Amino acid sequence: MPESQRVTICVDAAGGDRAPDEILAGVELGLSRDPGLAVILTGPDEVVVPAAEASVNCAARPTTQSIPMDADPVSAVRSMKDSSIVVGCQLVRSGEADAFFTAGSTGAWMAASTLHIGRIPGIKRPAIATVIPTAGPPVVLLDAGANADCRPEYLVQFAHMGSAYARIVVGVDEPRVALLNIGEEPTKGSLLTREAHALMEADVPGFVGNVEGRDIPAGVADVIVTDGFTGNVALKLLEGMSRSIFREVKGVLTSSAATRLAALAVRPGLRELAGRLDPDTYGGAPLLGVDGLSFVGHGSSGRRAVASALRVCAHAVRSDLLLRVRQGTAER
Amino acid sequence: MPESQRVTICVDAAGGDRAPDEILAGVELGLSRDPGLAVILTGPDEVVVPAAEASVNCAARPTTQSIPMDADPVSAVRSMKDSSIVVGCQLVRSGEADAFFTAGSTGAWMAASTLHIGRIPGIKRPAIATVIPTAGPPVVLLDAGANADCRPEYLVQFAHMGSAYARIVVGVDEPRVALLNIGEEPTKGSLLTREAHALMEADVPGFVGNVEGRDIPAGVADVIVTDGFTGNVALKLLEGMSRSIFREVKGVLTSSAATRLAALAVRPGLRELAGRLDPDTYGGAPLLGVDGLSFVGHGSSGRRAVASALRVCAHAVRSDLLLRVRQGTAER
């Protein structure tokens, strides 16, 4: 997968709390880092046309509608056919783009990806896969919020899809796959996890059994499978916790003249640490199980997160993530 | 609730990874801090008798059995009538002790508390209430693991019980009660949380709606209600995350001669912060809904955690937690 392989990513210039400025700045940054990358911007004419003109390898596909963050996702996606999210998904479907990225409404992104790209045959439910930074190698956690209510067989498919993704983003050949549970023994947990444990044990290569909440940051598995409710709570808790701790650490560093002086020496290391543990490091999360590559970013994504997302998207295209997901789930 | 009010707490000297030494040291510490406190130790004769003899306000109630951490809780509790956990619960039931504390098997503690103390009439499921340290006032999170599968009406009862507990441990008159969910709007979430939201809105005083994972450390509510699966994952994730971050911060502080020098100035503040965010600060978690006060501590509880737990137990007794829980749930 040479960096020279041309990759075209459609980016929603209108999605996210900091759109369009930070999205466009992130695109610019991403393009400057990867000469093989081309971007198609969807969004309002007055935003995307000047941005495309100002940049090499950047094209505009103006759209006239924008899905508000608080709209009902499914009906918005059905009715707003010329929105930046719907058109982005259609460009993936038609093959004009290799992948789509938005920092807009996660609900609208899921609905548009499912409706306009479609599911891989045999996949019951697509799942959002996020990459969690840890002290060691990162961990793929899924489902991070697509399916609030799950059946055990969904979790088995999540395991296969997450494994395919971990091979690419974590870079391991035989990912260790774990089930998030509230006890290590197979008999522990909810009805869902007890049944899922039995199914995964029979069907998932590299299955290492149950892990608990405390194991998520410990890097004991490459893939951690859970339902979309628990996964979403865990992901947001990780974000909130990491930000809250670093805010307090900053408070300690600025609490006196002596600590402010000391901070000069320790701040670079702490900043590097905070950056490494920041979810923005990975910038984009794919909806695995749809028949094309579609990524969502945090609503608050800034240029750094957008550029990271483009890197992850391009890497997924060049590593043929879609084919790997299809193969990983084909015979199940 | 004067500190002089005599309180008798039964402590399981045999439960926990660091029993009996750290348990006994914690009891010693707790007794030294509270002249109104008396302790009854359950556990092996050769442990509890010398400890009781060496200490003022400390009695021994030797037991001959000990429930292993990996035993099936319900059958162990039924068959091992002379175990330190079962006898501790019976002492609460009989009124000889005002509360029971163990750092042993959580499963055995739940089973023994439910079977040998019994449920408050009308309570469908007891729940474990934990106190989560935040940047601001602490938050009561429940259920932290007693009920992996919940029905919406259980969550309503958890809200009432958690509210009664928050009045005592957080010290607020009108606790703000939130439902842990994966979106702020009432229509978001799983089948369970959507139904629970509607019920809580109608029935729970101080209900402030949904909160998300990131809100747990932010202190936006005094009580956060969730099912025991999600609550347990969240609690353990908080613990794991906080420990992992502080371990990495320590790595930064010791990375060079300059940072080691700087660490002299910032370490006291960081240590205070780590201590404040440490779950051991609150040491013990009650099983709310049983008809007596019964607390569990972390399996790894050291003397500091045990002493904290005794403080929390004594405070709960003196504040009449049990009566408040009964009243809060009586007419529902």
Side-chain angles (χ1 to χ4, degrees):
Chain A
M1 33 164 204
E3 274 239 337
S4 58
Q5 184 193 327
R6 291 285 294 183
V7 171
T8 303
I9 298 171
C10 175
V11 175
D12 173 9
D17 308 337
R18 298 160 80 181
D21 293 356
E22 285 294 310
I23 307 295
L24 296 176
V27 165
E28 202 55 48
L29 194 59
L31 287 169
S32 72
R33 287 176 183 169
D34 182 347
L37 179 64
V39 166
I40 303 173
L41 295 170
T42 55
D45 193 273
E46 67 276 18
V47 169
V48 298
V49 170
E53 277 169 2
S55 181
V56 186
N57 289 338
C58 189
R61 175 68 172 78
T63 49
T64 56
Q65 295 175 307
S66 168
I67 298 177
M69 291 298 280
D70 57 353
D72 173 64
V74 175
S75 56
V77 161
R78 283 190 198 281
S79 63
M80 301 174 85
K81 294 275 162 60
D82 199 40
S83 62
S84 52
I85 290 184
V86 169
V87 171
C89 290
Q90 284 169 340
L91 291 177
V92 171
R93 172 67 167 243
S94 69
E96 287 170 79
D98 299 306
F100 171 59
F101 170 76
T102 180
S105 153
T106 303
W109 163 74
M110 283 194 292
S113 301
T114 310
L115 286 169
H116 293 282
I117 302 177
R119 268 184 266 169
I120 293 174
I123 292 293
K124 295 177 205 297
R125 292 286 186 286
I128 301 174
T130 49
V131 179
I132 309 273
T134 75
V139 173
V140 172
L141 176 84
L142 79 169
D143 173 17
N147 308 280
D149 293 291
C150 284
R151 300 169 56 86
E153 56 270 30
Y154 303 171
L155 268 57
V156 177
Q157 289 195 332
F158 297 170
H160 293 300
M161 299 193 294
S163 227
Y165 191 48
R167 280 191 199 99
I168 292 172
V169 289
V170 188
V172 282
D173 282 339
E174 296 293 339
R176 295 160 302 162
V177 181
L179 175 66
L180 184 59
N181 207 339
I182 61 170
E184 287 176 10
E185 303 83 355
T187 55
K188 286 286 177 75
S190 59
L191 293 173
L192 173 68
T193 55
R194 290 203 302 272
E195 247 190 85
H197 188 284
L199 295 177
M200 289 172 77
E201 196 151 50
D203 190 41
V204 173
F207 183 57
V208 296
N210 292 330
V211 295
E212 298 190 85
R214 72 168 67 91
D215 301 317
I216 298 177
V220 296
D222 303 303
V223 180
I224 297 183
V225 172
T226 187
D227 65 273
F229 186 91
T230 311
N232 189 271
V233 167
L235 176 67
K236 288 182 175 162
L237 178 53
L238 276 166
E239 287 176 16
M241 188 68 184
S242 150
R243 277 169 199 174
S244 139
I245 291 182
F246 281 109
R247 197 165 39 234
E248 298 225 33
V249 167
K250 198 173 169 187
V252 169
L253 295 186
T254 55
S255 61
S256 75
T259 61
R260 280 191 294 273
L261 188 65
L264 296 176
V266 298
R267 189 168 286 146
L270 290 178
R271 194 165 282 163
E272 186 276 330
L273 174 63
R276 187 152 50 77
L277 296 182
D278 189 327
D280 274 3
T281 310
Y282 294 92
L287 188 64
L288 298 180
V290 293
D291 209 4
L293 296 181
S294 187
F295 288 74
V296 73
H298 210 284
S300 65
S301 293
R303 63 189 69 195
R304 192 174 150 267
V306 173
S308 300
L310 290 179
R311 187 178 47 74
V312 171
C313 289
H315 184 48
V317 173
R318 289 174 177 134
S319 319
D320 226 338
L321 171 61
L322 189 59
L323 181 71
R324 292 181 191 224
V325 172
R326 280 203 206 105
Q327 286 172 342
T329 52
E331 65 278 18
R332 320 273 165 190
Chain B
M1 38 170 201
E3 276 239 336
S4 58
Q5 185 193 326
R6 292 286 294 184
V7 171
T8 302
I9 298 172
C10 175
V11 174
D12 173 10
D17 308 337
R18 299 161 79 183
D21 293 355
E22 285 295 309
I23 307 293
L24 295 176
V27 165
E28 203 54 50
L29 192 59
L31 287 169
S32 73
R33 288 176 182 169
D34 182 347
L37 180 65
V39 165
I40 304 172
L41 296 169
T42 55
D45 194 272
E46 66 277 18
V47 169
V48 298
V49 170
E53 277 170 1
S55 181
V56 186
N57 290 338
C58 190
R61 174 69 173 77
T63 48
T64 56
Q65 295 175 307
S66 170
I67 298 177
M69 289 299 280
D70 57 353
D72 172 64
V74 175
S75 56
V77 161
R78 283 190 198 282
S79 63
M80 301 173 83
K81 293 276 161 60
D82 199 40
S83 62
S84 52
I85 290 184
V86 169
V87 171
C89 290
Q90 284 169 339
L91 291 177
V92 170
R93 172 68 168 241
S94 70
E96 286 170 80
D98 300 305
F100 172 60
F101 171 77
T102 180
S105 154
T106 303
W109 164 74
M110 282 195 292
S113 300
T114 310
L115 285 170
H116 293 281
I117 301 177
R119 267 184 266 169
I120 294 174
I123 292 292
K124 294 176 205 298
R125 293 287 186 285
I128 301 174
T130 50
V131 179
I132 309 273
T134 75
V139 173
V140 172
L141 177 84
L142 78 168
D143 174 18
N147 308 279
D149 293 291
C150 283
R151 299 170 55 86
E153 56 269 29
Y154 302 171
L155 268 57
V156 176
Q157 289 194 332
F158 297 171
H160 293 299
M161 298 193 294
S163 228
Y165 191 48
R167 280 193 198 99
I168 292 171
V169 288
V170 189
V172 282
D173 283 340
E174 297 293 338
R176 295 160 301 161
V177 181
L179 175 66
L180 184 59
N181 207 337
I182 61 168
E184 287 176 10
E185 303 82 355
T187 55
K188 288 287 175 74
S190 59
L191 293 173
L192 172 68
T193 55
R194 289 203 302 272
E195 246 190 88
H197 188 284
L199 295 178
M200 289 172 77
E201 196 151 50
D203 190 41
V204 174
F207 183 56
V208 296
N210 292 330
V211 295
E212 299 189 85
R214 71 168 68 90
D215 300 318
I216 298 176
V220 297
D222 304 302
V223 180
I224 296 182
V225 173
T226 188
D227 63 274
F229 187 89
T230 311
N232 189 271
V233 167
L235 177 68
K236 288 182 177 163
L237 178 54
L238 276 166
E239 286 175 19
M241 186 70 184
S242 149
R243 276 167 201 175
S244 139
I245 291 182
F246 281 108
R247 195 164 43 232
E248 298 224 31
V249 166
K250 197 173 171 188
V252 169
L253 295 185
T254 54
S255 60
S256 75
T259 61
R260 280 192 293 275
L261 187 66
L264 295 176
V266 298
R267 189 168 285 146
L270 291 178
R271 193 165 282 162
E272 186 276 328
L273 175 63
R276 189 152 47 79
L277 296 182
D278 189 327
D280 273 3
T281 310
Y282 294 92
L287 187 64
L288 297 180
V290 294
D291 210 5
L293 297 181
S294 186
F295 288 73
V296 74
H298 210 286
S300 65
S301 293
R303 63 188 72 194
R304 192 174 150 267
V306 173
S308 300
L310 290 178
R311 186 179 47 75
V312 171
C313 288
H315 184 47
V317 174
R318 290 175 177 136
S319 319
D320 226 339
L321 171 61
L322 189 59
L323 182 70
R324 292 182 191 225
V325 172
R326 282 202 205 106
Q327 286 172 342
T329 51
E331 65 279 22
R332 320 273 165 189

